[in-house]
Amino acid sequence: MNYISTRGQIEPVGFKDAVMMGLATDGGLLLPERVPTLSAATLDSWRELSYQQLAFELISLYATDIPADDLQDLINRSYATFDNREITPVVHEDGVYILELFHGPTLAFKDVALQLLGNLFAYLLKERGEKMNIVGATSGDTGSAAIYGVRGKENINIFILHPHLKTSPIQALQMTTVTDANVHNIAAKGTFDDCQNIVKSLFNDLPFKEKYALGAVNSINWARVLAQVVYYFYAWFRVTDNGGANVVFSVPTGNFGDIFAGYIAKRMGLPVSKLLLATNENNILTRFINDGDYSLGDVVPTVSPSMDIQLASNFERYLFYLFDENPARVRDAFVELTQTGRIAFSSNELARVREEFLSRSVNQAETLETIAAFHKATGYLLDPHTAVGVRAAQELVPADATPVCLATAHPAKFGEAVEQATGIAPPFPQALAGIDRLPSRCAVLEADRTAIKAFIEENAL
Ligand SMILES: Cc1ncc(COP(=O)(O)O)c(C=O)c1O
Ligand SMILES: N[C@@H](CCOP(=O)(O)O)C(=O)O
């Protein structure tokens, strides 16, 4: 399988090169040349597979240049760190299915892809005899998952930018208390969008990217999206086993990576009726789907801080398909966005968007109300991001459909919001025990490309 850019200006590359390239060298995002489609018989034959076996079947369709034994070994090692045998179990509470994606070492869905990506990087660097400096941006969860994925690994340095004082306190501690020599945390005085823009601009500085062998852990890296496709299949098997039909996945959305993985699963032939895109007050994607209004606003802080994002990077991948795989139209759209702060869509394009997606923006009061009501009804504590998706599902999923809500983080990561809603501080799982007493290290810098570039140059491998 080869990979092409949404901007159409690179020669196709294989899977291994795509993983190492991260952001395409023409500034676009990498996608497979074609998305494989699965027959009903193949789907049926996968129903009883374990998570790791299913991951192997799906990922091997795309990672065709990795020998089968090596791939299965990478997958097995990556999920050995999860605390649930099922990796991403599905539970049924108060009329909705909850797909729990927080059983990895840093208690958020990012672990599902980043444990694998960390091992994949180590494998590829060893094979090539190379080293890498990872540079990533985080609103709180990608950062710690990526750090845990590569801490202490040979030939890898990691630089993670997070918005200073804009993550939850636990999220910040999960990053800054990892003091291995190869880990560099940078708290940038700005928003997540500022951090992501700086990271993308460093990747677009091709001499810098090459000199320091930059690697990407954000969902700009295709391997991230690919690993996330697996749990849509896994969950679909679990709920349809129980007679569920007309499955709707409700996905709390920020950078559009998670829901884009669902879109790929649907494109591969997984019988999903709709994808429900749930946002907090940072709702540009909801405005786009419901009103055709894709115009950038200011980022506002919310109780679901990991989704405090305006410019969702994976949206570009979706636009490639919406524009009938025409890279020139993608390039024009991004010129329009840079010049005017918006992208205009035709009524035909918007009709196609609405065939695939439903959307709802859930505000702070509704999020807290949902955490409280769900807890009262079931005893189950939702984290605020998951609550955004649950509320959207409760309001928009039709009675004859089966709602599956992605639980993207453990409630203990956002204890303040959960306590505000329910009066109960979520108990700390073992992974967080004593975290507030550990030594920490972090550089606080201006959200300024030059300052951050200089910091990386000083500390790079
Ligand atoms: C806990 C949590 N939920 C939801 C999201 C949204 O996911 P995505 O950025 O893939 O849309 C994120 C990060 O963005 C997150 O950290
Ligand atoms: N919510 C994310 C934002 C970065 O998204 P990514 O999926 O592109 O890595 C985070 O927790 O950092």
Side-chain angles (χ1 to χ4, degrees), residues 49-270:
L49 296 184
S50 69
Y51 190 92
Q52 290 87 334
Q53 289 167 330
L54 184 61
F56 173 80
E57 294 298 339
L58 281 161
I59 295 174
S60 60
L61 296 174
Y62 294 90
T64 48
D65 51 5
I66 298 194
D69 287 351
D70 291 359
L71 182 61
Q72 187 69 73
D73 175 60
L74 284 165
I75 290 169
N76 292 348
R77 281 193 287 117
S78 302
Y79 297 120
T81 55
F82 281 56
D83 71 5
N84 189 293
R85 195 181 48 81
E86 287 205 73
I87 313 302
T88 64
V90 180
V91 300
H92 196 210
E93 298 282 353
D94 203 23
V96 296
Y97 286 96
I98 306 276
L99 169 56
E100 292 186 343
L101 300 173
F102 50 73
H103 289 281
T106 67
L107 311 172
F109 78 102
K110 309 286 181 170
D111 286 320
V112 177
L114 281 160
Q115 289 298 306
L116 181 63
L117 184 57
N119 287 323
L120 199 49
F121 276 149
Y123 170 85
L124 295 177
L125 291 172
K126 187 165 175 210
E127 187 176 79
R128 295 171 179 214
E130 292 174 4
K131 61 187 181 177
M132 171 182 275
N133 289 289
I134 290 171
V135 180
T138 186
S139 53
D141 292 318
T142 292
S144 56
I147 288 169
Y148 272 74
V150 303
R151 66 183 295 183
K153 282 199 164 56
E154 265 179 55
N155 298 322
I156 302 183
N157 245 10
I158 181 164
F159 297 86
I160 292 291
L161 281 69
H162 70 265
H164 187 41
L165 302 177
K166 291 194 172 76
T167 68
S168 83
I170 292 291
Q171 285 179 307
L173 285 171
Q174 283 182 300
M175 294 186 274
T176 59
T177 58
V178 181
T179 53
D180 298 57
N182 70 333
V183 174
H184 303 277
N185 280 290
I186 302 170
K189 294 185 194 164
T191 63
F192 167 76
D193 282 43
D194 296 327
C195 297
Q196 179 154 267
N197 283 338
I198 292 170
V199 168
K200 278 198 165 181
S201 89
L202 294 176
F203 274 87
N204 280 325
D205 178 346
L206 296 183
F208 183 76
K209 180 180 181 184
E210 197 173 326
K211 179 169 180 195
Y212 291 102
L214 298 192
V217 283
N218 282 106
S219 53
I220 56 178
N221 196 317
W222 167 252
R224 280 277 315 275
V225 175
L226 176 56
Q228 292 175 210
V229 170
V230 177
Y231 50 68
Y232 284 91
F233 281 81
Y234 189 78
W236 185 86
F237 288 130
R238 303 292 81 76
V239 303
T240 53
D241 244 354
N242 294 343
N246 244 340
V247 175
V248 176
F249 283 101
S250 180
V251 190
T253 299
N255 225 2
F256 203 80
D258 207 3
I259 198 158
F260 184 72
Y263 174 77
I264 291 289
K266 195 164 185 292
R267 248 186 122 85
M268 290 177 76
L270 189 70

